[in-house]
């Protein structure tokens, strides 16, 4: 005989819209508690497919269904089942369906699912040579376009939460895996260049996503230094400005920097207040500076001077530690690698 919970899950497929709506609201509310999550996990094989089918329903049904899936996907075992049943493809298809009203929830679902290796592989479309990278390309494009749209509307309407801000967290997740880093660093795709340009965003969530993604990609510096330095015009400001402190730099310093750095540092600017972003930027610089070519590139933009000034300004112990790690690395090779004249690359 069916339990009450089995009956409830059965009602998710009811032909009557009011019954279906009532059932999905109750299931959504159950996912908000540990006990409810545990109870529903025993019926994962029926509740997950039922909820995923409801994503294409009207907003009053699709929204609570998506909220339930986001909550359930915080459980690693349930998230693995979702990946296995193809929920990443379902979410991506729904995300780009005309007039989707649950965009932010679908993006948040993808954030949770890409915390698993299999979820990352699914989003990267590994094993599908023709389609590989298509999902990532679409997400990066939405990440960049949505910020432009927000900026153009911000003068006339109050800023809403950008539903694609959370894509930054997806990019951090996929860049933890080598295949993801290689895809983002591929110069033919040009994805990292687009992502880095989002560092100027006023959204802290977006900024953190960008800085975390850059840092992860710099783990490939040993084999992909050239591809990183190809976008140095955008890379160095994103890494060195958070580490530059609050001082206005004089001409003696800025004259040895490329224009995009020198002009930003010669005026009053908003400091990067979040210590996590400063640490990530410094760790990325360290990973680049481990390579001889990376150290030369850092010297060529007067990077060590920026780090010296930033360190003098810094008060956070963890951030200071990140500065010191680079400092000890640069000291060992400074005499042989510091260029006697600064030349443009």
């Amino acid at each position: 005989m069916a339990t009450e919970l089995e009956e409830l899950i059965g009602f998710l497929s009811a032909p009557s819209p009011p019954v279906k709506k009532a059932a999905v609201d109750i299931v959504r509310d159950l996912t908000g508690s540990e006990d409810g999550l545990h109870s529903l996990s025993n019926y994962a094989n029926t509740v997950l497919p039922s909820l995923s089918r409801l994503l294409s329903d009207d907003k009053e049904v699709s929204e609570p269904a998506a909220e339930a899936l986001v909550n359930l996907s915080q459980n690693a075992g349930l998230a693995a089942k979702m990946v296995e049943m193809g929920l990443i493809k379902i979410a991506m298809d729904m995300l780009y369906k005309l007039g989707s009203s649950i965009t932010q929830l679908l993006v948040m679902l993808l954030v949770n699912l890409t915390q698993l290796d299999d979820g990352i592989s699914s989003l990267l479309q590994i094993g599908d040579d023709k389609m590989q990278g298509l999902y990532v390309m679409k997400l990066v494009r939405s990440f960049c376009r949505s910020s432009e749209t927000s900026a153009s509307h911000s003068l006339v309407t109050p800023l809403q939460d950008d539903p694609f801000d959370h894509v930054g967290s997806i990019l951090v997740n996929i860049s933890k895996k080598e295949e993801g880093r290689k895809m983002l660093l591929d110069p033919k795709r040009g994805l990292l260049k687009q992502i880095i340009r989002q560092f100027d965003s006023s959204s802290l969530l977006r900024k953190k996503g960008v800085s975390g993604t850059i840092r992860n990609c710099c783990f490939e510096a040993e084999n992909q230094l050239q591809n990183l330095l190809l976008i140095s015009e955008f890379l160095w400001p994103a890494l060195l400005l958070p580490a530059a402190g609050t001082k206005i730099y004089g001409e003696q310093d800025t004259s040895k920097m490329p224009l995009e750095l020198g002009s930003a540092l010669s005026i009053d600017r908003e400091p990067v207040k979040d210590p996590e972003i400063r640490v990530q930027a410094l760790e990325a610089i360290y990973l680049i500076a481990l390579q001889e070519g990376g150290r030369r590139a850092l010297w060529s933009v007067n990077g060590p001077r920026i780090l010296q000034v930033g360190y003098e300004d810094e008060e956070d112990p963890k951030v200071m530690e990140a500065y010191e790690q680079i400092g000890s690395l640069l000291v060992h090779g400074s005499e042989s690698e510091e260029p006697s004249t600064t030349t443009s690359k």
Side-chain angles (χ1 to χ4, degrees), residues 263-275:
S263 57
L265 292 174
S266 59
I267 55 171
D268 202 15
R269 61 195 179 279
E270 186 72 26
V272 175
K273 292 174 183 169
D274 191 287

Side-chain angles (χ1 to χ4, degrees), residues 277-299:
I277 292 176
R278 299 202 300 278
V279 168
Q280 286 175 336
L282 289 162
E283 286 176 348
I285 295 167
Y286 176 76
L287 290 165
I288 291 171
L290 282 172
Q291 310 306 315
E292 187 182 337
R295 290 193 293 277
R296 280 202 304 270
L298 184 61
W299 280 111

Side-chain angles (χ1 to χ4, degrees), residues 123-315:
L123 190 73
L124 297 176
Q125 296 162 288
I126 288 170
D128 186 344
D129 291 343
K130 287 185 179 175
M131 306 298 280
Q132 191 166 309
L134 181 65
Y135 288 164
V136 174
M137 186 184 77
K138 281 184 166 185
L139 287 169
V140 169
R141 187 171 58 197
S142 298
F143 185 56
C144 299
R145 281 188 179 170
S146 67
S147 74
E148 289 167 15
T149 308
S150 298
S152 64
H153 290 308
S154 62
L155 294 176
V156 286
T157 56
L159 273 172
Q160 303 290 315
D161 271 353
D162 182 341
F164 285 103
D165 272 358
H166 289 274
V167 168
S169 303
I170 298 172
L171 296 171
V172 171
N173 289 345
I174 66 169
S175 61
K176 288 175 184 171
K177 201 173 169 81
E178 186 182 356
E179 294 93 331
R181 295 194 292 271
K182 285 184 173 176
M183 189 177 286
L184 295 176
L185 280 163
D186 182 351
K188 289 179 185 171
R189 297 179 189 269
L191 296 175
L192 189 60
K193 180 179 175 179
Q194 295 174 57
I195 294 163
I196 288 178
R197 294 169 80 167
Q198 294 302 305
F199 190 73
D200 291 338
S201 168
S202 57
S203 159
L204 183 60
L205 180 62
R206 190 175 276 262
K207 251 181 159 56
K208 277 189 172 180
V210 173
S211 67
T213 302
I214 299 170
R215 172 197 172 272
N216 289 349
C217 284
C218 287
F219 276 99
E220 295 297 314
E222 186 177 354
N223 301 312
Q224 300 242 26
L225 182 64
Q226 216 42 50
N227 286 338
L228 280 164
L229 295 181
L230 273 175
I231 52 171
S232 56
E233 176 188 351
F234 306 101
L235 181 68
W236 287 127
L239 296 182
L240 286 167
L241 291 179
T246 53
K247 174 188 168 180
I248 295 174
Y249 288 62
E251 194 185 342
Q252 188 179 354
D253 291 330
T254 59
S255 63
K256 299 173 189 171
M257 299 174 193
L259 187 63
E260 60 271 9
L261 263 179
S263 57
L265 292 174
S266 59
I267 55 171
D268 202 15
R269 61 195 179 279
E270 186 72 26
V272 175
K273 292 174 183 169
D274 191 287
E276 188 185 340
I277 292 176
R278 299 202 300 278
V279 168
Q280 286 175 336
L282 289 162
E283 286 176 348
I285 295 167
Y286 176 76
L287 290 165
I288 291 171
L290 282 172
Q291 310 306 315
E292 187 182 337
R295 290 193 293 277
R296 280 202 304 270
L298 184 61
W299 280 111
S300 77
V301 296
N302 208 11
R305 172 61 181 157
I306 295 171
L307 294 171
Q308 180 192 0
V309 173
Y311 180 68
E312 288 166 2
D313 248 6
E314 189 55 63
E315 294 177 356

Side-chain angles (χ1 to χ4, degrees), residues 9 11-29 47 49-70 94 101-102 105-106:
I9 293 165
F11 287 138
L12 292 173
S13 307
S16 161
V19 171
K20 192 163 53 176
K21 162 73 175 152
V24 75
D25 281 345
I26 295 168
V27 168
R28 186 264 319 273
D29 293 344
V47 74
S50 297
L51 288 169
S52 70
R53 281 192 291 272
L54 296 180
L55 294 175
S56 57
D57 221 302
D58 293 337
K59 185 182 179 183
E60 61 176 15
V61 169
S62 64
E63 194 170 274
E67 287 170 346
L69 286 167
V70 169
M94 285 303 308
S101 56
I102 52 170
L105 290 165
L106 291 170

Side-chain angles (χ1 to χ4, degrees), residues 81-96:
K81 284 193 168 158
M82 291 184 200
V83 172
E84 198 179 318
M85 61 179 264
L87 199 53
I88 282 186
K89 182 183 187 309
I90 294 167
M92 285 299 298
D93 289 347
M94 285 303 308
L95 198 53
Y96 292 98

